[in-house]
Structures are given as C-alpha cells and as structure tokens.
Coordinates of all heavy atoms in Angstrom, one line a residue:
M156 N 0.9 -1.2 0.0 CA 0.0 0.0 0.0 C 0.8 1.2 0.1 O 1.9 1.4 0.9 CB -1.0 0.1 1.2 CG -1.9 1.1 1.3 SD -3.3 1.1 2.5 CE -3.0 -0.2 3.5
Q157 N 0.6 2.2 -0.9 CA 1.4 3.4 -1.1 C 0.6 4.5 -0.6 O -0.6 4.6 -0.9 CB 1.9 3.5 -2.5 CG 2.8 2.4 -2.9 CD 4.1 2.3 -2.2 OE1 4.8 3.4 -1.9 NE2 4.5 1.2 -1.8
I158 N 1.3 5.6 -0.2 CA 0.7 6.8 0.2 C 0.8 7.7 -1.0 O 1.9 7.9 -1.6 CB 1.4 7.5 1.3 CG1 1.2 6.7 2.6 CG2 0.9 9.0 1.5 CD1 2.1 7.2 3.8
T159 N -0.5 8.0 -1.5 CA -0.4 8.7 -2.9 C -0.9 10.1 -2.7 O -0.7 10.9 -3.6 CB -1.5 8.0 -3.8 OG1 -2.7 7.9 -3.2 CG2 -1.0 6.6 -4.3
D160 N -1.3 10.6 -1.5 CA -1.6 12.0 -1.3 C -1.6 12.4 0.2 O -2.2 11.5 1.0 CB -3.0 12.3 -2.0 CG -3.2 13.9 -1.9 OD1 -2.2 14.7 -2.1 OD2 -4.4 14.2 -1.8
V161 N -1.1 13.4 0.6 CA -1.2 14.0 1.9 C -1.8 15.5 1.8 O -1.1 16.3 1.1 CB 0.1 13.9 2.6 CG1 0.0 14.5 4.2 CG2 0.5 12.5 2.8
R162 N -2.8 15.8 2.6 CA -3.2 17.1 2.6 C -3.2 17.6 4.1 O -3.7 16.9 4.9 CB -4.6 17.3 2.1 CG -4.5 16.9 0.5 CD -5.9 17.1 -0.1 NE -5.8 16.5 -1.5 CZ -6.3 17.1 -2.5 NH1 -7.1 18.3 -2.4 NH2 -6.1 16.6 -3.6
V163 N -2.5 18.8 4.4 CA -2.5 19.3 5.7 C -3.4 20.6 5.6 O -3.3 21.3 4.8 CB -1.1 19.7 6.1 CG1 -1.1 20.4 7.4 CG2 -0.3 18.4 6.1
R164 N -4.4 20.6 6.6 CA -5.3 21.8 6.7 C -5.5 22.2 8.1 O -5.0 21.5 9.1 CB -6.6 21.4 6.1 CG -7.2 20.1 6.7 CD -8.5 19.9 5.9 NE -9.0 18.5 6.1 CZ -9.4 18.0 7.2 NH1 -9.3 18.7 8.3 NH2 -9.9 16.7 7.4
K165 N -6.0 23.4 8.2 CA -6.2 23.8 9.7 C -4.9 24.0 10.3 O -4.8 23.4 11.4 CB -7.3 23.0 10.4 CG -8.7 23.1 9.7 CD -9.7 22.6 10.6 CE -11.0 22.6 10.0 NZ -12.1 21.8 10.7
V166 N -4.0 24.7 9.8 CA -2.7 24.9 10.6 C -2.8 25.9 11.6 O -3.3 27.0 11.4 CB -1.6 25.2 9.7 CG1 -0.3 25.5 10.3 CG2 -1.5 24.2 8.5
N167 N -2.5 25.6 12.9 CA -2.7 26.5 14.0 C -1.1 26.9 14.5 O -0.4 26.1 14.7 CB -3.4 25.7 15.1 CG -4.8 25.3 14.8 OD1 -5.6 26.2 14.2 ND2 -5.1 24.3 15.1
D168 N -1.1 28.2 14.8 CA 0.2 28.6 15.4 C 0.0 28.5 16.9 O 1.1 28.3 17.6 CB 0.5 30.1 15.0 CG 0.7 30.2 13.5 OD1 1.2 29.3 12.9 OD2 0.3 31.3 13.0
E169 N -1.1 28.6 17.5 CA -1.3 28.6 18.9 C -1.8 27.2 19.4 O -2.5 26.5 18.6 CB -2.2 29.7 19.3 CG -2.0 31.0 18.6 CD -1.7 32.0 19.6 OE1 -1.9 31.8 20.9 OE2 -1.2 33.1 19.2
G170 N -1.5 26.8 20.6 CA -1.9 25.6 21.3 C -1.1 24.4 20.7 O -0.2 24.5 20.1
K171 N -1.6 23.3 21.3 CA -0.8 22.0 21.2 C -1.1 21.3 19.8 O -0.2 20.6 19.2 CB -1.1 21.0 22.3 CG -0.5 21.6 23.5 CD -0.7 20.5 24.7 CE 0.0 21.1 26.0 NZ 0.7 20.2 26.8
M172 N -2.4 21.5 19.4 CA -2.7 20.9 18.1 C -2.3 21.8 16.9 O -2.7 23.0 16.9 CB -4.2 20.6 18.0 CG -4.5 19.8 16.7 SD -6.2 19.4 16.5 CE -6.9 20.8 15.9
K173 N -1.3 21.3 16.2 CA -0.7 22.2 15.2 C -1.4 22.2 13.8 O -1.5 23.0 13.1 CB 0.7 21.8 14.9 CG 1.6 22.1 16.2 CD 1.5 23.5 16.7 CE 2.2 23.8 18.0 NZ 2.2 25.2 18.3
A174 N -2.0 21.0 13.5 CA -2.7 20.9 12.2 C -3.5 19.6 12.1 O -3.3 18.7 13.0 CB -1.5 20.9 11.0
I175 N -4.2 19.6 11.0 CA -5.0 18.2 10.8 C -4.7 18.0 9.4 O -4.7 18.6 8.4 CB -6.6 18.6 10.9 CG1 -6.9 18.9 12.4 CG2 -7.4 17.3 10.5 CD1 -8.3 19.4 12.6
A176 N -4.5 16.5 9.2 CA -4.1 16.0 7.9 C -5.0 14.9 7.4 O -5.7 14.2 8.2 CB -2.7 15.4 7.8
S177 N -5.1 14.8 6.1 CA -5.7 13.6 5.5 C -4.8 13.0 4.7 O -3.8 13.5 4.0 CB -6.9 14.1 4.6 OG -7.9 14.7 5.4
V178 N -4.8 11.6 4.7 CA -3.9 10.7 3.9 C -4.5 9.8 3.0 O -5.6 9.2 3.5 CB -2.9 9.9 4.8 CG1 -2.0 9.0 4.0 CG2 -2.2 10.8 5.8
T179 N -4.1 9.8 1.7 CA -4.8 8.9 0.7 C -3.8 7.7 0.4 O -2.7 8.0 0.2 CB -5.2 9.8 -0.6 OG1 -6.1 10.7 -0.2 CG2 -5.9 8.7 -1.5
F180 N -4.4 6.5 0.4 CA -3.6 5.3 0.1 C -4.1 4.7 -1.4 O -5.3 4.6 -1.5 CB -3.9 4.2 1.1 CG -3.4 4.6 2.4 CD1 -4.2 5.3 3.4 CD2 -2.1 4.5 2.9 CE1 -3.9 5.8 4.6 CE2 -1.6 5.0 4.1 CZ -2.5 5.6 5.0
D181 N -3.1 4.5 -2.2 CA -3.3 3.9 -3.5 C -4.4 4.7 -4.2 O -5.1 4.0 -5.1 CB -3.7 2.4 -3.3 CG -2.5 1.6 -2.8 OD1 -1.3 2.0 -3.0 OD2 -2.8 0.6 -2.1
D182 N -4.6 6.0 -4.0 CA -5.7 6.6 -4.8 C -7.1 6.0 -4.6 O -8.0 6.3 -5.5 CB -5.5 6.7 -6.3 CG -4.3 7.8 -6.6 OD1 -4.1 8.8 -5.9 OD2 -3.3 7.4 -7.4
E183 N -7.3 5.2 -3.5 CA -8.5 4.5 -3.4 C -9.1 4.7 -2.0 O -10.3 4.4 -1.8 CB -8.3 3.1 -3.6 CG -7.9 2.7 -5.1 CD -7.8 1.3 -5.3 OE1 -7.8 0.5 -4.4 OE2 -7.6 0.9 -6.5
F184 N -8.3 5.0 -1.0 CA -8.8 5.0 0.4 C -8.2 6.2 1.1 O -7.0 6.4 1.1 CB -8.3 3.6 1.2 CG -8.9 3.4 2.4 CD1 -10.2 3.1 2.7 CD2 -8.1 3.7 3.6 CE1 -10.7 2.9 3.9 CE2 -8.6 3.6 4.8 CZ -9.9 3.2 5.1
V185 N -9.1 7.0 1.8 CA -8.4 8.2 2.5 C -8.8 8.0 4.1 O -10.0 7.6 4.5 CB -9.1 9.4 1.9 CG1 -10.6 9.5 2.1 CG2 -8.4 10.6 2.5
V186 N -8.0 8.6 4.9 CA -8.1 8.7 6.3 C -8.0 10.1 6.7 O -7.0 10.7 6.5 CB -7.1 7.9 7.2 CG1 -7.4 8.1 8.7 CG2 -7.2 6.4 6.8
H187 N -9.1 10.6 7.1 CA -9.2 12.2 7.6 C -9.0 12.3 9.1 O -9.0 11.3 9.7 CB -10.7 12.6 7.1 CG -10.9 12.7 5.8 ND1 -10.2 13.4 4.8 CD2 -11.9 12.1 5.0 CE1 -10.8 13.3 3.7 NE2 -11.8 12.4 3.8
D188 N -8.7 13.5 9.4 CA -8.6 13.9 10.8 C -7.5 13.3 11.5 O -7.6 12.9 12.8 CB -10.0 13.7 11.5 CG -11.1 14.5 10.9 OD1 -10.8 15.6 10.3 OD2 -12.3 14.1 11.1
I189 N -6.3 13.2 10.9 CA -5.1 12.8 11.6 C -4.5 14.1 12.2 O -4.2 15.1 11.4 CB -4.0 12.1 10.7 CG1 -4.7 10.9 10.2 CG2 -2.8 11.8 11.5 CD1 -4.0 10.2 9.1
K190 N -4.4 14.1 13.6 CA -3.9 15.3 14.2 C -2.4 15.4 14.3 O -1.8 14.4 14.6 CB -4.6 15.5 15.5 CG -6.1 15.6 15.5 CD -6.7 15.7 16.8 CE -8.2 15.7 16.6 NZ -8.8 14.5 16.3
I191 N -1.7 16.6 14.1 CA -0.4 16.8 14.4 C -0.3 17.6 15.6 O -0.8 18.7 15.6 CB 0.3 17.6 13.3 CG1 0.1 16.9 11.9 CG2 1.7 18.0 13.6 CD1 0.6 17.6 10.7
I192 N 0.2 17.0 16.8 CA 0.2 17.6 18.0 C 1.6 17.8 18.5 O 2.5 17.1 18.4 CB -0.5 16.6 18.9 CG1 -2.0 16.5 18.5 CG2 -0.5 17.1 20.4 CD1 -2.8 15.5 19.2
E193 N 1.8 18.9 19.3 CA 3.0 19.3 19.9 C 3.2 18.6 21.2 O 2.3 19.0 22.1 CB 3.2 20.9 20.0 CG 4.5 21.2 20.6 CD 5.7 21.1 19.7 OE1 5.7 21.3 18.6 OE2 6.8 20.4 20.2
G194 N 4.0 17.8 21.5 CA 4.0 17.1 22.8 C 5.3 17.5 23.5 O 6.2 18.3 23.0
Q195 N 5.6 17.0 24.7 CA 6.8 17.2 25.4 C 8.0 16.8 24.7 O 9.2 17.5 24.8 CB 6.8 16.5 26.8 CG 5.8 17.0 27.7 CD 5.8 16.2 29.0 OE1 6.0 15.1 29.1 NE2 5.4 16.9 30.1
N196 N 8.0 15.8 23.8 CA 9.3 15.4 23.1 C 9.1 15.7 21.6 O 9.7 15.1 20.7 CB 9.3 13.9 23.2 CG 9.5 13.4 24.7 OD1 10.2 14.1 25.4 ND2 8.8 12.3 25.1
G197 N 8.3 16.7 21.3 CA 8.2 17.2 19.9 C 7.0 16.8 19.2 O 6.0 16.4 19.9
L198 N 7.0 16.9 18.0 CA 5.6 16.7 17.3 C 5.3 15.2 17.2 O 6.3 14.4 17.0 CB 5.7 17.1 15.8 CG 5.7 18.6 15.6 CD1 6.0 19.0 14.1 CD2 4.5 19.4 16.2
F199 N 4.0 14.8 17.1 CA 3.7 13.4 16.9 C 2.2 13.5 16.2 O 1.7 14.5 16.1 CB 3.5 12.7 18.3 CG 2.4 13.1 19.2 CD1 1.1 12.3 19.2 CD2 2.7 14.0 20.1 CE1 0.4 12.8 20.1 CE2 1.8 14.3 21.1 CZ 0.6 13.7 21.1
I200 N 1.8 12.3 15.8 CA 0.5 12.3 15.1 C -0.4 11.5 16.0 O 0.1 10.5 16.7 CB 0.6 11.6 13.7 CG1 1.1 10.3 13.7 CG2 1.4 12.5 12.7 CD1 0.9 9.5 12.2
A201 N -1.7 11.9 15.9 CA -2.6 11.2 16.6 C -3.8 10.8 15.6 O -4.2 11.6 14.9 CB -3.4 12.0 17.7
M202 N -4.0 9.4 15.4 CA -4.9 9.0 14.5 C -6.4 9.4 14.9 O -6.6 9.7 16.1 CB -4.8 7.4 14.5 CG -3.5 6.9 14.0 SD -3.0 7.5 12.5 CE -4.1 6.7 11.2
P203 N -7.3 9.3 13.9 CA -8.7 9.7 14.4 C -9.3 8.8 15.4 O -9.0 7.7 15.5 CB -9.5 9.5 13.0 CG -8.6 9.2 11.9 CD -7.2 8.8 12.6
S204 N -9.9 9.3 16.3 CA -10.4 8.6 17.6 C -11.8 9.1 18.0 O -12.2 10.2 17.6 CB -9.4 8.8 18.7 OG -9.3 10.2 19.0
R205 N -12.4 8.4 18.9 CA -13.8 8.6 19.4 C -13.6 8.6 21.0 O -13.0 7.7 21.5 CB -14.7 7.6 18.9 CG -16.1 7.8 19.5 CD -17.1 6.7 18.9 NE -17.0 6.9 17.5 CZ -17.6 5.7 16.7 NH1 -17.7 4.7 17.2 NH2 -17.5 6.0 15.4
K206 N -14.3 9.4 21.6 CA -14.3 9.4 23.0 C -15.2 8.4 23.5 O -16.3 8.2 23.2 CB -14.9 10.9 23.5 CG -14.7 11.0 25.1 CD -15.0 12.5 25.4 CE -14.7 12.7 26.9 NZ -14.9 14.0 27.3
M207 N -14.6 7.6 24.5 CA -15.3 6.4 25.1 C -15.2 6.6 26.6 O -14.4 6.4 27.3 CB -14.5 5.1 24.6 CG -14.2 4.9 23.2 SD -15.6 4.7 22.2 CE -16.0 3.0 22.6
G208 N -16.5 6.9 27.1 CA -16.6 7.0 28.5 C -16.0 8.2 29.1 O -16.1 9.4 28.5
E209 N -15.3 8.1 30.2 CA -14.8 9.1 31.1 C -13.4 9.5 30.6 O -12.4 9.2 31.2 CB -14.7 8.8 32.5 CG -16.1 8.5 33.1 CD -16.1 8.1 34.6 OE1 -15.0 8.3 35.2 OE2 -17.1 7.5 35.0
G210 N -13.4 10.2 29.5 CA -12.0 10.8 29.0 C -11.2 10.0 28.3 O -10.1 10.3 27.8
D211 N -11.6 8.7 28.1 CA -10.7 7.8 27.3 C -11.1 7.9 25.7 O -12.3 8.2 25.5 CB -11.1 6.3 27.8 CG -10.8 6.0 29.1 OD1 -9.8 6.6 29.6 OD2 -11.3 5.0 29.7
F212 N -10.1 7.7 25.0 CA -10.2 7.8 23.5 C -9.8 6.6 22.9 O -9.0 5.9 23.4 CB -9.4 9.0 22.9 CG -10.0 10.4 23.3 CD1 -9.7 11.0 24.4 CD2 -10.9 11.0 22.3 CE1 -10.2 12.2 24.8 CE2 -11.4 12.1 22.7 CZ -11.1 12.9 23.8
R213 N -10.4 6.1 21.8 CA -10.2 5.0 21.1 C -10.0 5.2 19.6 O -10.9 5.9 19.1 CB -11.3 3.9 21.4 CG -10.9 2.5 20.8 CD -11.9 1.4 21.1 NE -11.4 0.2 20.7 CZ -12.0 -0.9 21.0 NH1 -13.1 -0.9 21.7 NH2 -11.6 -2.0 20.5
D214 N -8.9 4.8 19.1 CA -8.6 5.1 17.6 C -9.7 4.4 16.9 O -10.1 3.2 17.0 CB -7.3 4.5 17.2 CG -6.2 5.4 17.7 OD1 -6.3 6.4 18.1 OD2 -5.0 4.9 17.5
I215 N -10.2 5.2 15.8 CA -11.1 4.7 14.9 C -10.4 3.9 13.7 O -10.8 2.9 13.3 CB -11.9 5.8 14.2 CG1 -12.8 6.4 15.3 CG2 -12.8 5.4 13.1 CD1 -13.6 7.7 15.0
A216 N -9.3 4.5 13.3 CA -8.4 3.8 12.2 C -7.1 4.1 12.7 O -6.6 5.1 13.1 CB -8.7 4.6 10.9
H217 N -6.2 2.9 12.5 CA -4.8 3.1 12.9 C -4.0 2.1 12.2 O -4.5 0.9 11.8 CB -4.6 2.9 14.4 CG -5.2 1.8 15.0 ND1 -4.4 0.7 15.1 CD2 -6.4 1.4 15.5 CE1 -5.0 -0.4 15.6 NE2 -6.3 0.1 15.8
P218 N -2.6 2.3 11.9 CA -1.8 1.2 11.5 C -1.7 0.1 12.4 O -1.5 0.3 13.7 CB -0.5 2.0 11.1 CG -0.6 3.1 11.9 CD -2.0 3.6 12.2
L219 N -1.4 -1.1 12.0 CA -1.1 -2.2 12.8 C 0.3 -2.5 13.0 O 0.6 -3.2 14.2 CB -1.7 -3.5 12.2 CG -3.2 -3.5 12.0 CD1 -3.7 -4.8 11.3 CD2 -3.9 -3.3 13.5
V220 N 1.1 -1.9 12.3 CA 2.7 -2.2 12.5 C 3.3 -0.8 12.6 O 2.9 0.3 11.9 CB 3.2 -3.1 11.4 CG1 2.7 -4.4 11.4 CG2 3.1 -2.5 10.0
S221 N 4.4 -0.7 13.4 CA 5.1 0.5 13.5 C 5.7 1.1 12.2 O 5.8 2.3 12.0 CB 6.1 0.4 14.7 OG 7.1 -0.4 14.3
Q222 N 6.2 0.3 11.4 CA 6.7 0.7 10.1 C 5.7 1.5 9.2 O 6.1 2.5 8.7 CB 7.2 -0.6 9.3 CG 8.4 -1.1 9.8 CD 8.7 -2.4 9.0 OE1 7.8 -3.2 8.7 NE2 9.9 -2.6 8.6
T223 N 4.4 1.0 9.3 CA 3.3 1.8 8.6 C 3.0 3.1 9.3 O 3.0 4.1 8.5 CB 2.1 0.9 8.5 OG1 2.5 -0.4 7.9 CG2 1.0 1.7 7.7
R224 N 3.0 3.1 10.6 CA 2.9 4.3 11.4 C 3.9 5.3 11.0 O 3.8 6.5 10.8 CB 2.8 4.2 12.9 CG 2.7 5.4 13.6 CD 2.6 5.2 15.1 NE 1.2 4.8 15.5 CZ 0.2 5.6 15.7 NH1 0.4 7.0 15.6 NH2 -1.0 5.2 16.1
N225 N 5.2 4.9 10.9 CA 6.4 5.7 10.6 C 6.2 6.4 9.3 O 6.6 7.5 9.0 CB 7.6 5.0 10.9 CG 7.9 4.8 12.4 OD1 7.5 5.6 13.1 ND2 8.7 3.8 12.6
K226 N 5.8 5.5 8.3 CA 5.8 5.9 7.0 C 4.7 7.1 6.9 O 4.9 8.0 6.1 CB 5.2 4.8 6.0 CG 5.4 5.1 4.5 CD 4.7 3.9 3.6 CE 5.2 2.6 3.8 NZ 4.7 1.7 2.7
I227 N 3.4 6.8 7.5 CA 2.4 7.9 7.5 C 3.0 9.1 8.2 O 2.8 10.2 7.7 CB 1.2 7.2 8.3 CG1 0.6 6.1 7.4 CG2 0.1 8.3 8.5 CD1 -0.6 5.4 8.2
K228 N 3.6 8.9 9.3 CA 4.2 10.2 10.0 C 5.1 11.0 9.3 O 5.0 12.1 9.1 CB 4.8 9.6 11.4 CG 5.3 10.7 12.2 CD 6.2 10.1 13.4 CE 7.4 9.5 12.8 NZ 8.5 9.3 13.7
D229 N 6.1 10.3 8.6 CA 7.0 11.0 7.8 C 6.3 11.6 6.6 O 6.8 12.8 6.3 CB 8.0 10.0 7.3 CG 9.0 9.3 8.5 OD1 9.0 9.9 9.5 OD2 9.5 8.4 8.1
A230 N 5.4 11.1 5.9 CA 4.8 11.8 4.9 C 3.9 13.0 5.4 O 3.9 14.0 4.8 CB 3.8 10.8 4.2
I231 N 3.4 12.8 6.5 CA 2.6 13.9 7.0 C 3.5 15.2 7.5 O 3.2 16.1 7.1 CB 1.6 13.5 8.3 CG1 0.4 12.7 7.7 CG2 1.2 14.7 9.0 CD1 -0.3 12.1 8.9
F232 N 4.5 14.7 8.1 CA 5.5 15.8 8.5 C 6.2 16.5 7.4 O 6.4 17.7 7.4 CB 6.6 15.1 9.6 CG 6.1 14.9 10.9 CD1 6.9 14.3 11.7 CD2 4.8 15.3 11.3 CE1 6.5 13.9 13.1 CE2 4.3 15.0 12.5 CZ 5.2 14.3 13.5
A233 N 6.4 15.8 6.3 CA 7.1 16.3 5.1 C 6.2 17.4 4.5 O 6.6 18.6 4.3 CB 7.3 15.3 4.0
E234 N 4.8 17.0 4.4 CA 3.8 18.0 3.9 C 3.6 19.1 4.9 O 3.4 20.3 4.5 CB 2.4 17.2 3.6 CG 1.5 18.1 2.9 CD 1.9 18.6 1.5 OE1 2.7 17.9 0.9 OE2 1.3 19.6 1.0
Y235 N 3.6 18.9 6.1 CA 3.5 19.9 7.2 C 4.5 21.0 7.0 O 4.3 22.1 7.1 CB 3.4 19.3 8.7 CG 3.3 20.3 9.7 CD1 2.1 21.2 9.9 CD2 4.3 20.4 10.5 CE1 2.0 22.0 10.9 CE2 4.2 21.3 11.7 CZ 3.0 22.1 11.8 OH 3.0 22.9 12.9
E236 N 5.7 20.4 6.8 CA 6.9 21.4 6.7 C 6.6 22.3 5.4 O 7.0 23.4 5.4 CB 8.2 20.6 6.6 CG 8.6 20.0 8.0 CD 8.8 20.9 9.0 OE1 9.2 22.0 8.7 OE2 8.5 20.7 10.2
K237 N 6.2 21.7 4.3 CA 6.0 22.4 3.1 C 4.9 23.6 3.3 O 5.0 24.6 2.9 CB 5.5 21.5 2.0 CG 6.5 20.6 1.5 CD 5.9 19.9 0.2 CE 6.8 18.7 -0.2 NZ 6.2 17.8 -1.2
V238 N 3.9 23.2 4.1 CA 3.0 24.1 4.3 C 3.3 25.3 5.2 O 3.0 26.4 4.9 CB 1.6 23.5 5.0 CG1 0.6 24.4 5.6 CG2 0.9 22.5 4.0
L239 N 4.1 24.9 6.2 CA 4.7 25.9 7.0 C 5.6 26.9 6.3 O 5.6 28.1 6.5 CB 5.5 25.3 8.2 CG 4.6 24.7 9.3 CD1 5.6 24.2 10.4 CD2 3.8 25.8 9.9
A240 N 6.5 26.3 5.4 CA 7.4 27.1 4.5 C 6.5 28.1 3.6 O 6.9 29.2 3.5 CB 8.2 26.2 3.8
S241 N 5.5 27.7 3.0 CA 4.8 28.4 2.1 C 3.9 29.4 2.9 O 3.7 30.6 2.5 CB 3.8 27.7 1.3 OG 2.7 27.0 2.2
K242 N 3.6 29.1 4.1 CA 2.9 30.1 5.0 C 3.7 31.2 5.4 O 3.3 32.3 5.5 CB 2.4 29.4 6.3 CG 1.4 30.2 7.2 CD 0.7 29.4 8.2 CE -0.1 30.2 9.0 NZ -0.8 29.3 10.1
Q243 N 5.1 30.9 5.6 CA 6.0 31.9 6.0 C 6.4 32.9 4.7 O 6.6 34.1 5.0 CB 7.3 31.3 6.4 CG 7.2 30.7 7.8 CD 8.5 30.1 8.2 OE1 9.4 29.9 7.6 NE2 8.6 29.8 9.7
D244 N 6.3 32.3 3.6 CA 6.5 33.1 2.5 C 5.4 34.0 2.1 O 5.7 35.1 1.5 CB 6.7 32.2 1.1 CG 7.9 31.4 1.2 OD1 8.8 31.7 2.0 OD2 8.1 30.3 0.5
S245 N 4.2 33.7 2.5 CA 3.0 34.6 2.2 C 2.2 34.5 3.5 O 1.2 33.9 3.7 CB 2.3 34.1 1.0 OG 1.8 32.9 1.2
P246 N 2.4 35.5 4.5 CA 1.8 35.4 5.7 C 0.3 35.7 5.6 O -0.5 35.2 6.5 CB 2.4 36.5 6.6 CG 3.4 37.3 5.6 CD 3.4 36.4 4.5
E247 N -0.2 36.3 4.5 CA -1.6 36.7 4.5 C -2.4 35.5 3.8 O -3.5 35.4 4.0 CB -1.9 37.7 3.3 CG -1.3 39.0 3.9 CD 0.2 39.3 3.5 OE1 0.6 38.8 2.4 OE2 0.9 40.0 4.4
A248 N -1.7 34.4 3.4 CA -2.3 33.3 2.8 C -3.2 32.5 3.9 O -2.6 32.3 5.0 CB -1.3 32.3 2.2
D249 N -4.3 32.2 3.7 CA -5.1 31.3 4.5 C -5.0 29.8 4.1 O -5.5 29.5 3.2 CB -6.6 31.7 4.3 CG -7.5 31.2 5.5 OD1 -7.0 30.7 6.5 OD2 -8.7 31.0 5.2
V250 N -4.3 29.2 5.2 CA -4.1 27.7 5.0 C -4.9 26.9 5.8 O -5.4 27.3 6.8 CB -2.6 27.4 5.3 CG1 -2.4 26.0 5.1 CG2 -1.7 28.2 4.5

C-alpha cells in the first residue's frame, strides 16, 4: 500500500494541536482527521479517535505495525513542513 496524497489543513500557530491532515492510500482509500500535536518530546501524530466514557479515547483507524505508522508520520510531517514554509513566504495566505 502506497501513500498517494497527503493534505494538511487547519494549521494552528497557537495551542498544542498544530494541524489536521488527510492521507490517501493507493488513490483509493483516505483517512481524515489525523492530528499533528506538539508534545513534550516534539511533534507526533494522533490517529482519528472517538471519546469512550470518562475521558478515554479509542482510535477509529490506525496502522497495525510501527513501520506503517512511521511511513504515515514521515509523509505527514514532510507535507506539514511544506505548508509551514509556504505560509512563511506569504503570511496573508489562509491555509
């Protein structure tokens, strides 16, 4: 399975949640609402999840192996860096 498209939207300068991404696989399957979050050890991705009970969250969709998670993370971070760079080039642009 190949990542064929990554779109980063809703880039935030403030707060811990920095952006929301969508990833397309093989031009056939898309996963929306992957969050880019600033944690204590730097940026990480949080897969789409649903609140279950008292503050617990459960992933709706997620990779089963760490290699796949890393591939998704690397693709999202690469696109996030591009969006940040283009946002710095044109501060009035609404991303």
Side-chain angles (χ1 to χ4, degrees):
M156 183 167 10
Q157 298 296 316
I158 296 171
T159 52
D160 189 34
V161 177
R162 295 181 189 221
V163 173
R164 54 188 166 59
K165 295 186 181 177
V166 176
N167 299 316
D168 294 328
E169 312 242 342
K171 292 185 183 219
M172 189 177 75
K173 297 302 179 186
I175 297 175
S177 297
V178 178
T179 304
F180 299 91
D181 294 332
D182 288 321
E183 296 180 353
F184 186 80
V185 66
V186 178
H187 295 292
D188 297 333
I189 301 172
K190 295 174 185 72
I191 301 172
I192 299 174
E193 180 75 45
Q195 290 180 333
N196 298 320
L198 293 175
F199 67 94
I200 60 170
M202 299 304 289
S204 61
R205 177 180 301 158
K206 190 172 184 177
M207 309 291 285
E209 297 179 21
D211 296 331
F212 286 86
R213 185 172 190 175
D214 286 349
I215 295 169
H217 60 89
L219 296 177
V220 294
S221 61
Q222 290 172 313
T223 304
R224 177 177 281 277
N225 288 335
K226 190 189 307 186
I227 294 168
K228 178 186 71 162
D229 293 345
I231 290 172
F232 286 173
E234 186 63 24
Y235 178 65
E236 292 298 326
K237 287 181 194 175
V238 169
L239 287 181
S241 69
K242 191 174 180 181
Q243 288 178 348
D244 290 344
S245 60
E247 296 87 33
D249 185 23
V250 178

